[in-house]
Amino acid sequence: MDSESHKSTATKLVYMANQIAAFFHTQPKDEAVAGVADHINHFWEPRMREQFFAILEQEDNGFDPLVVEAAKHIRKPVPA
């Protein structure tokens, strides 16, 4: 994957994660964190979660703070 495609994919994943967080922001924090993590765990394939964690390691990753908090509860994919 070239760097432009990777950037585009990363931008889309950040956008999608932040959209999920936006939906859950109306709920109490504990429920919101669990909701974001649950959604990503159930609907994102391992490759997407792998990219998610790579983006998360970047200092200015663009993730909503709720996504960052939920990351502690998101399953890391098992390396092949």
Side-chain angles (χ1 to χ4, degrees):
M1 178 182 293
D2 65 31
S3 65
E4 281 304 309
S5 295
H6 181 70
K7 267 190 218 175
S8 176
T9 301
T11 301
K12 289 176 187 174
L13 287 176
V14 170
Y15 176 80
M16 289 172 24
N18 288 345
Q19 287 288 46
I20 296 164
F23 175 81
F24 285 103
H25 267 293
T26 59
Q27 298 184 6
K29 186 169 182 182
D30 289 346
E31 290 177 29
V33 168
V36 171
D38 186 57
H39 183 91
I40 290 174
N41 281 327
H42 282 92
F43 297 105
W44 286 24
E45 62 183 36
R47 185 177 42 153
M48 292 170 71
R49 286 184 280 119
E50 184 177 325
Q51 291 171 337
F52 168 83
F53 284 108
I55 297 164
L56 190 63
E57 291 177 6
Q58 299 172 12
E59 189 173 322
D60 186 21
N61 55 40
F63 284 124
D64 182 292
L66 186 56
V67 174
V68 175
E69 183 71 21
K72 299 171 190 168
H73 307 283
I74 295 171
R75 290 188 305 269
K76 290 188 178 185
V78 177

